[in-house]
Amino acid sequence: MIDIHAHILPSLDDGPKTIEESIEMCKVAASDGISTIVATPHSKDGVYEAKGENILKAVEALNLELQEACIDLKILPGAELHVNERLLEGIENGDALTINNNRKHILLELPFFFIPPGTERLIFNIQSLGIIPIIAHAERTSFFQKNPKSLEKLVDSGVMVQVTAQSITGFFGSRERKCAERFLKRKIVHFIASDAHSTRNRPPILSKALEKASQIIGKEEAEDLVFKNPREIVTLQTEAKEDTG
Ligand SMILES: [Fe+2]
């Protein structure tokens, strides 16, 4: 499985504090059957400002540690980008990392309780750069819980949706669980990801949610959300890489 949303790099945000904690999280992920994790530290949320350059360095360092420890897991760079008026500028100058740094998709975090004015315009502008926004944990946003049709409208415009594994399994409460289930049934979910922060409370585990989602939408469709769809976005190359073969 491929996890496109996890706070797994040490001391960049509210995820693990040390490299040892990161490695413990990686062991949990690998034993759950996860082969690849996109590391997505919080960025530009007013508290954490993980910059592209630092994320790239931390990903490289963690991959080296994993190789040395013979843990069969690959970490790719990314970020969880909070909606922010300087986001476009960040994407342009490389501070705001896209998924696998390929300028094709970004993981976009909206506030839980309201949609800031200008968000639709921002989403449109991101799309105009040829980048597809993926709404992080849409089922935890109270606006989408109350207005699922607005999320459908965004999906119709080309936006993709990530739902968090522990919402499906009920960790965040019945409102989030029911909302995740509703979105799955409406077929507006493209990814199930862990949004892991630790080994215990918020672990990088997808198998339990996959099992639950399989009961809701069937095994084949559920598997697309942790295998096929994430694989498609992480294997996309930047145009520059394609040009040079
Ligand atoms: Fe997150």
Side-chain angles (χ1 to χ4, degrees):
M1 293 179 284
I2 297 175
D3 188 358
I4 64 152
H5 181 175
H7 303 262
I8 198 139
L9 299 174
S11 63
L12 284 180
D13 63 2
D14 55 348
K17 288 191 176 54
T18 62
I19 189 83
E20 288 77 18
E21 284 177 39
S22 294
I23 292 169
E24 286 308 309
M25 287 177 71
C26 290
K27 285 183 190 166
V28 170
S31 43
D32 192 53
I34 295 172
S35 62
T36 307
I37 289 180
V38 183
T40 54
H42 289 290
S43 183
K44 311 233 169 266
D45 69 351
V47 182
Y48 301 106
E49 293 287 337
K51 287 206 167 26
E53 194 189 341
N54 297 337
I55 295 170
L56 292 171
K57 278 186 200 155
V59 165
E60 208 181 315
L62 181 54
N63 275 324
L64 274 177
E65 293 279 347
L66 293 176
Q67 272 173 26
E68 277 173 22
C70 296
I71 297 167
D72 194 13
L73 183 77
K74 174 88 181 152
I75 309 295
L76 301 174
E80 180 171 16
L81 301 164
H82 202 78
V83 286
N84 180 294
E85 61 210 19
R86 297 181 65 193
L87 185 54
L88 288 177
E89 189 188 319
I91 294 171
E92 291 293 351
N93 68 23
D95 272 352
L97 277 195
T98 52
I99 300 279
N100 200 15
N101 197 20
N102 63 15
R103 290 187 58 87
K104 302 286 185 193
H105 296 81
I106 61 162
L107 185 65
L108 189 66
E109 183 183 40
L110 299 172
F112 286 118
F113 300 107
F114 71 104
I115 302 292
T119 298
E120 271 192 38
R121 162 66 51 185
L122 176 67
I123 286 175
F124 176 80
N125 288 339
I126 294 168
Q127 290 171 318
S128 303
L129 295 175
I131 294 172
I132 298 174
I134 300 168
I135 307 279
H137 42 63
E139 81 291 352
R140 297 183 60 204
T141 302
S142 62
F143 180 78
F144 293 134
Q145 289 168 356
K146 290 176 199 145
N147 305 283
K149 283 218 158 60
S150 5
L151 189 63
E152 280 182 347
K153 214 175 116 193
L154 284 173
V155 170
D156 287 343
S157 81
V159 165
M160 300 180 98
V161 171
Q162 176 257 310
V163 155
T164 294
Q166 283 183 295
S167 292
I168 297 172
T169 54
F171 175 80
F172 294 108
S174 66
R175 193 182 319 168
E176 283 72 11
R177 184 181 54 75
K178 284 178 192 160
C179 188
E181 190 171 329
R182 194 179 316 134
F183 290 172
L184 284 167
K185 285 181 179 163
R186 283 181 182 233
K187 302 191 188 302
I188 52 172
V189 179
H190 303 86
F191 309 98
I192 296 172
S194 72
D195 195 6
H197 283 69
S198 61
T199 49
R200 299 189 68 185
N201 274 348
R202 315 249 331 247
I205 288 179
L206 297 176
S207 57
K208 291 177 187 162
L210 173 62
E211 197 184 318
K212 193 86 208 315
S214 300
Q215 292 162 9
I216 299 166
I217 53 172
K219 190 167 181 278
E220 204 174 319
E221 268 188 46
E223 283 185 348
D224 283 352
L225 310 182
V226 292
F227 288 102
K228 179 170 157 278
N229 295 355
R231 190 186 311 118
E232 275 175 11
I233 70 163
V234 301
T235 52
L236 286 173
Q237 300 292 297
T238 60
E239 272 139 43
K241 283 180 192 165
E242 277 166 5
D243 287 343
T244 54

